[in-house]
């Protein structure tokens, strides 16, 4: 048995919940063997006695498709159906017998639904959230809630469940962080020194030859910063290598296309060759 208070339901209680759900699924399945065999006692007896499936379905007040489905099952018992004769009407006794069988099928379905709703209600009352119960039943939490809140949930059955205690989450493992190599530290410092002399140009304008080297260094610096961030190198380490205040490297990278540029920032215009 699973220890209580860990977010996992004890085995005996989980089995009770699953068994109640399996009974509910069987009872509400249109092709349930138990239900269809009971009903087939009258339907197949009528067909065997010469009554057409259409006439039988109409007399019993069910769709013809359902009558055909019922006829696929072996009857659970025999019913003494009078044989068809031209000009005769479908026997009222057969209709009454079918109604009684249908009532037993409906009663079984209602009881299964009430039982499941009572089990879910007891578990939820013990603190188990619907999504957690849904995981046990392979259902959505919303579907579990719908079942629990049906009129059948007023069942007098009572069940005891271990109180739910949300499982404690351990500390998140820290993502592995990268680090700048000695070569990168030197290159970032060198490029940052040259990039300080770069000047802004209008979009589409040519860069004067004497300013082209600084612009190229600025672009290379931004590319190196982005590559370092892809390796999870902390921004603080990059700022220090470039000689920037806190946030300087990040602002440069964003302006050069690393991440989403905010409306207040103008995107960098690449150097025109």
């Amino acid at each position: 048995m699973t220890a209580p208070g860990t977010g996992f339901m004890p085995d005996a209680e989980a089995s009770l919940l699953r068994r109640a759900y399996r009974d509910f699924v069987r009872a509400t399945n249109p092709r349930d063997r138990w239900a269809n065999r009971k009903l087939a006692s009258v339907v197949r007896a009528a067909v065997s006695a010469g009554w057409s499936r259409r006439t039988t379905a109409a007399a019993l007040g069910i769709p013809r498709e359902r009558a055909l489905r019922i006829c696929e099952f072996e009857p659970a018992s025999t019913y003494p159906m009078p044989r068809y004769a031209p000009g005769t009407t479908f026997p009222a006794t057969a209709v009454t017998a079918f109604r009684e069988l249908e009532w037993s099928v409906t009663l079984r379905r209602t009881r299964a639904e009430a039982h499941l709703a009572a089990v879910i209600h007891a578990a939820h009352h013990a603190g188990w959230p619907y999504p957690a119960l849904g995981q046990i039943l392979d259902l959505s939490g919303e579907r579990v809630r719908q079942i629990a809140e049906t009129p059948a949930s007023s069942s007098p059955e009572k069940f005891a469940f271990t109180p739910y205690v949300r499982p404690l989450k351990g500390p998140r493992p820290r993502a592995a962080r990268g680090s700048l190599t000695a070569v990168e530290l030197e290159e970032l410092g060198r490029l940052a020194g040259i990039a300080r002399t770069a000047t802004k140009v209008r979009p589409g304008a040519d860069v004067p030859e004497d300013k082209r080297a600084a612009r190229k260094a600025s672009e290379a610096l931004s590319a190196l910063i982005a590559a370092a961030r892809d390796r999870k190198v902390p921004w603080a380490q990059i700022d220090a290598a470039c000689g920037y205040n806190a946030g300087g490297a990040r602002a440069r990278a964003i302006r050069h296309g690393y991440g989403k540029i905010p409306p207040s920032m103008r995107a960098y215009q690449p150097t025109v060759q």
Side-chain angles (χ1 to χ4, degrees):
M1 178 180 292
T2 307
T6 61
F8 295 96
M9 184 176 289
D11 294 340
E13 298 170 15
S15 296
L16 170 64
L17 182 63
R18 293 192 184 99
R19 186 166 57 252
Y21 180 65
R22 284 196 300 269
D23 292 344
F24 168 75
V25 170
R26 280 196 294 266
T28 55
N29 182 5
R31 298 194 64 84
D32 176 55
R33 184 172 179 272
W34 180 88
N36 282 285
R37 288 193 65 205
K38 288 184 74 69
L39 300 176
S41 301
V42 173
V43 177
R44 286 194 59 165
V47 174
S48 299
W51 299 88
S52 70
R53 291 180 174 84
R54 186 182 301 277
T55 299
T56 301
L60 298 178
I62 61 175
R64 183 171 179 271
E65 292 73 18
R66 187 185 177 197
L68 293 174
R69 183 176 67 240
I70 294 173
C71 285
E72 297 175 7
F73 295 83
E74 287 294 327
S77 60
T78 59
Y79 179 76
M81 185 73 183
R83 292 201 60 81
Y84 168 77
T88 59
T89 58
F90 196 87
T93 53
V95 176
T96 300
F98 182 82
R99 290 284 180 268
E100 291 176 352
L101 294 173
E102 195 170 39
W103 168 248
S104 67
V105 171
T106 302
L107 182 61
R108 173 173 175 258
R109 181 171 59 247
T110 301
R111 286 175 174 172
E113 184 176 16
H115 178 69
L116 174 59
V119 172
I120 293 176
H121 183 77
H124 188 63
H125 186 71
W128 290 86
Y130 291 131
L133 298 176
Q135 289 182 349
I136 297 174
L137 298 177
D138 196 22
L139 298 173
S140 67
E142 175 60 18
R143 177 58 182 141
V144 176
R145 184 195 66 78
Q146 291 173 357
I147 296 173
E149 294 184 359
T150 59
S153 62
S154 59
S155 168
E157 295 180 286
K158 302 297 180 183
F159 304 94
F161 279 83
T162 302
Y164 176 80
V165 178
R166 188 177 299 277
L168 296 177
K169 295 183 179 180
R172 288 187 178 181
R174 291 188 176 182
R177 292 189 173 186
S179 182
L180 295 173
T181 65
V183 174
E184 288 175 325
L185 284 168
E186 181 180 353
E187 187 67 1
L188 283 170
R190 184 186 71 82
L191 291 174
I194 300 174
R196 288 189 179 91
T197 64
T199 56
K200 297 180 180 180
V201 296
R202 295 190 307 275
D206 290 333
V207 180
E209 190 63 33
D210 59 337
K211 300 295 184 181
R212 192 176 294 275
R215 296 276 293 182
K216 286 292 187 181
S218 178
E219 294 168 3
L221 174 61
S222 297
L224 187 56
I225 290 173
R229 278 301 300 168
D230 287 341
R231 299 195 336 263
K232 308 299 183 183
V233 176
W235 285 113
Q237 191 177 143
I238 300 174
D239 284 332
C242 296
Y244 294 155
N245 293 326
R250 185 171 189 173
R252 162 178 280 277
I254 292 175
R255 191 169 62 252
H256 283 242
Y258 187 84
K260 185 177 181 180
I261 300 178
S264 59
M265 185 179 292
R266 177 177 296 178
Y268 175 81
Q269 298 298 322
T271 300
V272 178
Q273 300 294 335

